[in-house]
Amino acid sequence: MPRASKPATDRTGQIYRALRHAIMEQALPPGAKLPEDAIGERFGASRTIVRYALGQLAAEGLVELRRNRGAVVATPAWEEARDIFDIRLGLERLVMSRLAGRLDKVQVAQLRAHVDDEERARGENEPLSIRLATEFHILLANMTGSAAIARYLSEVSSRFGLILALYSRPHSSECAVSEHRAVIDALVDGDADAAMKVMESHLDAVANRALIMPSVRKNRELSDILDSYAAAPEPAPAGTPKKADNRA
């Protein structure tokens, strides 16, 4: 099979990132339809390119591809919440064991800068706050240097985010910020057992804030939602240090 041209690859990545961010920020809620023609029109892309981006999201469990009915944002069942939580907890423990006492100064500054971003978004931009909270855990996984750990934790964290979008209270960014700072402090101290306990306590708090009830959301046009995400910049390559906030 011939390789896709670079412009097509770039356009696929742009669509993938825009949809992924919109899903993670809950602008596109579980069950939202993702018509290929409407997405392609917004990005000036063919349905083939859109279909490839949707396939990537489906592989991560964020999108469901339904035969002859098109794609929709995935709608996880509440029954799978406990399994997803247990899998995520196991992965997070592994991340803690790999990173405790091993973070360098640049990584610590990058983590603190990320949490500073979370704090700035708190109360001002809740959708961004939700996404940053998930990306904090993905950033930690990337710092292990294991592509497998980073991939699986990213997929499980994103899937868990969909479950919370369906069954949780409104996001509590204040709790997330303070808990994330505690995780960083535990890792810097170098005590793997303590770091695991802090992470477990954090995830338990997230789970305990959940409710077994569907969220009520206002319907919005897909084109209006994607307008906010279409111009998102391409992320830096994995491992690229983020400029630290001088206040960190």
Side-chain angles (χ1 to χ4, degrees):
M1 178 182 294
R3 291 184 179 180
S5 64
K6 190 174 188 299
T9 302
D10 291 346
R11 189 61 55 85
T12 300
Q14 181 189 17
I15 295 170
Y16 163 82
R17 287 189 300 275
L19 291 174
R20 191 174 193 277
H21 284 180
I23 293 170
M24 290 179 68
E25 294 185 11
Q26 300 177 12
L28 286 172
K33 294 181 179 180
L34 302 171
E36 294 174 3
D37 53 352
I39 296 171
E41 181 178 352
R42 177 60 189 80
F43 290 91
S46 69
R47 294 184 65 171
T48 299
I49 290 176
V50 174
R51 195 174 298 126
Y52 189 77
L54 290 172
Q56 289 180 303
L57 293 165
E60 296 180 13
L62 294 177
V63 166
E64 295 172 1
L65 302 178
R66 305 176 302 179
R67 185 179 297 275
N68 299 324
R69 291 193 297 167
V72 298
V73 178
T75 305
W78 175 255
E79 290 74 18
E80 80 170 271
R82 174 48 60 180
D83 289 341
I84 293 294
F85 179 80
D86 288 343
I87 293 169
R88 179 176 179 180
L89 185 57
L91 287 169
E92 297 276 14
R93 285 171 176 158
L94 181 58
V95 171
M96 295 297 96
S97 68
R98 294 284 182 93
L99 296 183
R102 295 184 176 90
L103 292 173
D104 60 36
K105 292 182 179 179
V106 173
Q107 290 173 319
V108 172
Q110 188 177 1
L111 289 168
R112 296 198 190 281
H114 185 95
V115 179
D116 286 342
D117 288 343
E118 291 183 59
E119 189 161 19
R120 280 188 286 270
R122 184 177 65 191
E124 298 293 331
N125 188 337
E126 278 306 293
L128 177 60
S129 179
I130 292 169
R131 175 162 64 85
L132 289 174
T134 297
E135 289 180 346
F136 171 79
H137 294 267
I138 296 172
L139 178 59
L140 284 170
N142 285 333
M143 287 180 176
T144 67
S146 167
I149 293 174
R151 173 188 172 187
Y152 291 126
L153 191 134
S154 176
E155 292 179 10
V156 170
S157 297
S158 299
R159 185 76 173 177
F160 193 69
L162 285 177
I163 291 170
L164 292 180
L166 278 169
Y167 307 110
S168 73
R169 293 183 177 93
H171 172 67
S172 177
S173 55
E174 183 173 0
C175 293
V177 169
S178 63
E179 290 159 9
H180 287 173
R181 293 197 189 282
V183 168
I184 297 171
D185 290 342
L187 290 174
V188 172
D189 288 343
D191 188 330
D193 289 336
M196 289 182 196
K197 289 179 181 178
V198 171
M199 178 59 76
E200 288 173 16
S201 176
H202 167 53
L203 293 179
D204 280 340
V206 171
N208 288 337
R209 289 193 284 267
L211 298 175
I212 307 178
M213 60 182 295
S215 301
V216 178
R217 300 181 182 275
K218 296 180 180 179
N219 292 326
R220 294 173 57 197
E221 292 292 332
L222 178 62
S223 59
D224 293 337
I225 294 172
L226 292 181
D227 280 345
S228 303
Y229 297 91
E234 184 172 355
T240 301
K242 179 178 179 180
K243 186 177 180 180
D245 192 317
N246 292 330
R247 299 175 302 169

